Amino acid sequence: MSCVGLRKIGVDAHLYYASGNHAFSLPEWEDGECDESALKDEMHPDLTAFKWTRPDWCHPVMTETGHALLFSRSLISEFSTFDVVIGHYPFVRFASILRNDGMITKPYIVCEAGMIRQLDNPTHPEHDALRGYQDAAIVMYVNVDLLPLLQAYHVDKFSHYVPLPVDTDKYAPPDLRRNDHTVFLCPTRHSWGEKGNDKLIAAFAEYVKRNPTAELRLCGWGGEDLQASKMMTYRYNLGKNVTWLPIMSKKKLILEYQKADVVFDQFVYEATGSSGPEAMSCGAPLVSRITPEFFQRLHGSVPPILNAQEP
C-alpha cells in the first residue's frame, strides 16, 4: 500500500519482499485472486495459488529462508541505487549492523508498526534493535499509541506519525447491508496478549444470552492462541453463534467487512490495528480499545470508534 501511494504521486518506489513469508504479508494477497485450497501453508505459501500480474516495481525474494536473504550483499547492492530505503520489520534489527559494515550508505527510514513494544522483552528477537532506531534518519510510526515509547527510547525527535494507508477505492462501503440477524466480525489474528480475543469471546458469550441469534465471525487462521480461542467458544457453548472463516484473499475479506454490522479490532493496546481503518473505510461501525487523547493529539480529533474498556 505504501508503494502504491508513493507511485501515485510520482515517486519511483520499489518493493522488495520475502516471498517465503506469511501469506498475508504478500502483495499477491493484497491485490490478487487466490485459490485458497492451493495455498497449502499460510506461513510458507505456494505462490502459484495466486492469480496476479506482478508489476515490475515489485521484487520478490524467492527463498524459503525468508528474511535472511533480504540482507545479503547482492540484494543490498541494489539498495544503493535508491535515494532512501524504507524498511519494515525485521529491517530495523539489521540496519545498524549493515550501516557499520558499510553495506548501507544511504539514509534509511524505519516504518514502525509496533515492534518497538518488544524492546524490553528479552525473549523477543526485536529486543536488541534499539540501535537500528537510533541510527535511522526518520522513524515513521503508524500507531498513535507508540509516541510514548518513542519518547522513552529518545527517538521521538526524528519520528513522524503517518496513519496506516488505506485505498478507499478498494475499501469502500457496500450499497446496503442486508443481514437478517446481527453479524459481528473480528478479523484479527488470535494472539490474546496483543489482540485480546479472549476478552471478546467472553463478552460475546454474555451478549448472546440477550441476543441468541447474533453471529460472531472469527478468522480460523493465524496466531499462537487460535486453538485456545476455539476451545473457549466450545466452553461457552457458542457453536451455533460463532463462524470460523477459512483463509481467504484480501478481496474476500473486504466483502466480510462490507457484510458485518459491527467490526471488532483489538482490546489490549491503545490504538487500532490495520483492521480498524480498513473497517471504517468500508463503512462498518468499529469497536476497539483506544486512548482518545492520543488520537486528539496527532489527528486533531477522535475517530468514530466505540471505545471498549474493562468493566
Side-chain angles (χ1 to χ4, degrees), residues 243-310:
T243 299
W244 293 97
L245 299 173
I247 191 169
M248 61 183 65
S249 69
K250 195 59 173 289
K251 290 184 177 180
K252 290 183 180 178
L253 185 57
I254 289 173
L255 295 178
E256 291 290 335
Y257 281 135
Q258 294 172 335
K259 177 182 178 180
D261 294 304
V262 177
V263 173
F264 296 110
D265 193 338
Q266 64 79 37
F267 307 98
V268 176
Y269 297 124
E270 298 174 284
T272 67
S274 59
S275 299
E278 289 176 354
M280 289 190 287
S281 187
C282 291
L286 181 68
V287 179
S288 185
R289 180 175 184 252
I290 65 170
T291 295
E293 292 77 13
F294 291 156
F295 285 94
Q296 185 68 47
R297 178 175 180 177
L298 293 170
H299 284 265
S301 63
V302 180
I305 298 173
L306 182 59
N307 188 7
Q309 297 292 331
E310 295 287 348

Side-chain angles (χ1 to χ4, degrees), residues 10-305:
V11 177
D12 184 21
H14 288 245
L15 174 66
Y16 289 81
Y17 62 99
S19 56
N21 212 342
H22 195 286
F24 298 166
S25 67
L26 302 176
E28 286 89 341
W29 181 69
E30 183 69 34
D31 287 331
E33 302 289 345
C34 179
D35 178 1
E36 289 84 359
S37 63
L39 197 59
K40 297 179 182 177
D41 180 1
E42 68 188 72
M43 296 300 297
H44 300 92
D46 183 348
L47 295 186
T48 62
F50 296 99
K51 183 179 179 181
W52 182 58
T53 301
R54 184 182 299 117
D56 59 7
W57 49 267
C58 276
H59 310 282
V61 179
M62 297 294 184
T63 173
E64 291 190 2
T65 59
H67 302 315
L69 194 63
L70 278 176
F71 308 110
S72 66
R73 288 187 178 274
S74 60
L75 189 57
I76 288 177
S77 66
E78 295 186 38
F79 292 172
S80 65
T81 64
F82 298 101
D83 296 312
V84 178
V85 176
I86 303 175
H88 289 253
Y89 176 82
F91 173 80
V92 68
R93 287 180 58 204
F94 301 93
S96 184
I97 298 173
L98 296 173
R99 169 65 63 81
N100 289 338
D101 290 347
M103 296 177 70
I104 292 182
T105 57
K106 301 290 182 68
Y108 69 84
I109 296 173
V110 172
C111 184
E112 173 54 41
M115 283 297 109
I116 198 170
R117 299 182 180 118
Q118 304 297 336
L119 287 181
D120 62 351
N121 180 357
T123 64
H124 195 279
E126 186 76 1
H127 80 277
D128 59 352
L130 179 58
R131 184 63 184 271
Y133 292 96
Q134 293 172 333
D135 288 346
I138 295 173
V139 176
M140 182 175 67
Y141 63 103
V142 299
N143 299 102
V144 296
D145 64 324
L146 296 179
L147 181 56
L149 281 173
L150 295 167
Q151 293 170 331
Y153 289 113
H154 307 292
V155 294
D156 55 300
K157 291 184 179 180
F158 50 93
S159 299
H160 296 272
Y161 172 66
V162 179
L164 282 166
V166 176
D167 185 342
T168 53
D169 292 329
K170 184 166 62 175
Y171 296 86
D175 293 333
L176 183 66
R177 285 180 166 82
R178 301 177 182 274
N179 297 316
D180 58 7
H181 61 284
T182 302
V183 176
F184 299 124
L185 170 69
C186 181
T188 62
R189 71 182 184 278
H190 295 270
S191 180
W192 290 8
E194 295 187 9
K195 300 298 183 181
N197 317 73
D198 53 330
K199 298 177 182 179
L200 171 61
I201 293 170
F204 180 67
E206 291 297 314
Y207 182 84
V208 166
K209 293 176 182 178
R210 306 186 303 274
N211 302 273
T213 63
E215 177 187 6
L216 175 60
R217 298 173 72 81
L218 298 173
C219 62
W221 68 86
E224 66 275 11
D225 294 313
L226 173 59
Q227 294 305 316
S229 290
K230 289 185 176 182
M231 290 301 298
M232 191 173 183
T233 63
Y234 296 147
R235 289 200 306 272
Y236 280 116
N237 196 28
L238 295 173
K240 294 181 179 179
N241 299 92
V242 171
T243 299
W244 293 97
L245 299 173
I247 191 169
M248 61 183 65
S249 69
K250 195 59 173 289
K251 290 184 177 180
K252 290 183 180 178
L253 185 57
I254 289 173
L255 295 178
E256 291 290 335
Y257 281 135
Q258 294 172 335
K259 177 182 178 180
D261 294 304
V262 177
V263 173
F264 296 110
D265 193 338
Q266 64 79 37
F267 307 98
V268 176
Y269 297 124
E270 298 174 284
T272 67
S274 59
S275 299
E278 289 176 354
M280 289 190 287
S281 187
C282 291
L286 181 68
V287 179
S288 185
R289 180 175 184 252
I290 65 170
T291 295
E293 292 77 13
F294 291 156
F295 285 94
Q296 185 68 47
R297 178 175 180 177
L298 293 170
H299 284 265
S301 63
V302 180
I305 298 173

